[in-house]
Amino acid sequence: MKQILLIALLACVASCADTVVPIPYYDFADFGAVFGAQQDLTCSMDGSTAKLKCGDAPFPSPCPALVGKAIGVHNAVMGGLELTTTIVSCSSSTVAVLAAASTHATGSNVSAIWGTDNSTALQRALKVLKAAGGGTLRIPSGVKFLVRLTQSTSFTVPSNTSIVGDLSHCIYVIGVPGSSNDWGYRLFDLDDPTTNVSITGLHIIGNNNPF
């Protein structure tokens, strides 16, 4: 009798093991993410100009690879707000021409962040995770990439989801509404209700909010 029970137990364990569903594992690069975002802390804009000047000479001239890239310039909008626009051209290694003009003189040594806008890639990844019932989204080691927020959008993390980094990368965030004293906006939001969510090892930098 004991032998029969043992055989039945082993059969049950084997059957249960066969029905375990693995947790989906995704790499952010698989969703079309483009890396290589940059930040320069030596920048400035005069009032009512579309020219961004950066003392570290970060721009190739000409700069076809940067044309159309998203950019955020701290304190370039009246009230201490961020100017969020795109790059049109580079007139020298220290000057980029933007698609929109500043409405406020920034002063010297302000932050400018630019690169490919990966907001769509991040939204796509989170939608796939939600459809799968959760999973793990890995941020590749050592990369730098940009996402853009608006007043009405953030990135909603579904239940049973882990977003994992190792702090060797940078997520640059532009478009954060509000002044440098506004802490009311979040990069990540949660479904309601949401359970079993883990976000670890992310190194996030924003012009207006350090997150």
Side-chain angles (χ1 to χ4, degrees), residues 183-200:
W183 297 79
Y185 293 90
R186 296 179 299 229
L187 175 59
F188 293 109
D189 209 342
L190 301 176
D191 274 336
D192 186 17
T194 299
T195 59
N196 194 27
V197 168
S198 173
I199 302 174
T200 59

Side-chain angles (χ1 to χ4, degrees), residues 47-48 74-83 101-106 178-179:
S48 302
H74 182 54
N75 199 35
V77 174
M78 193 67 67
L81 306 183
E82 180 186 63
L83 173 66
S102 63
T103 60
H104 179 256
T106 62
S179 69

Side-chain angles (χ1 to χ4, degrees), residues 69-89:
K69 299 292 186 184
I71 186 167
V73 183
H74 182 54
N75 199 35
V77 174
M78 193 67 67
L81 306 183
E82 180 186 63
L83 173 66
T84 305
T85 183
T86 58
I87 297 174
V88 173
S89 65

Side-chain angles (χ1 to χ4, degrees), residues 88-157:
V88 173
S89 65
C90 304
S91 56
S92 72
S93 62
T94 60
V95 179
V97 180
L98 309 185
S102 63
T103 60
H104 179 256
T106 62
S108 59
N109 297 325
V110 300
S111 170
I113 294 172
W114 63 91
T116 298
D117 183 358
N118 286 283
S119 301
T120 299
L122 184 54
Q123 295 280 22
R124 186 183 300 122
L126 293 172
K127 286 180 180 178
V128 167
L129 285 162
K130 183 172 183 176
T136 297
L137 178 65
R138 187 183 75 89
I139 306 300
S141 178
V143 302
K144 298 179 180 179
F145 68 93
L146 178 150
V147 295
R148 180 173 178 173
L149 287 177
T150 69
Q151 284 187 325
S152 60
T153 62
S154 60
F155 301 98
T156 302
V157 182

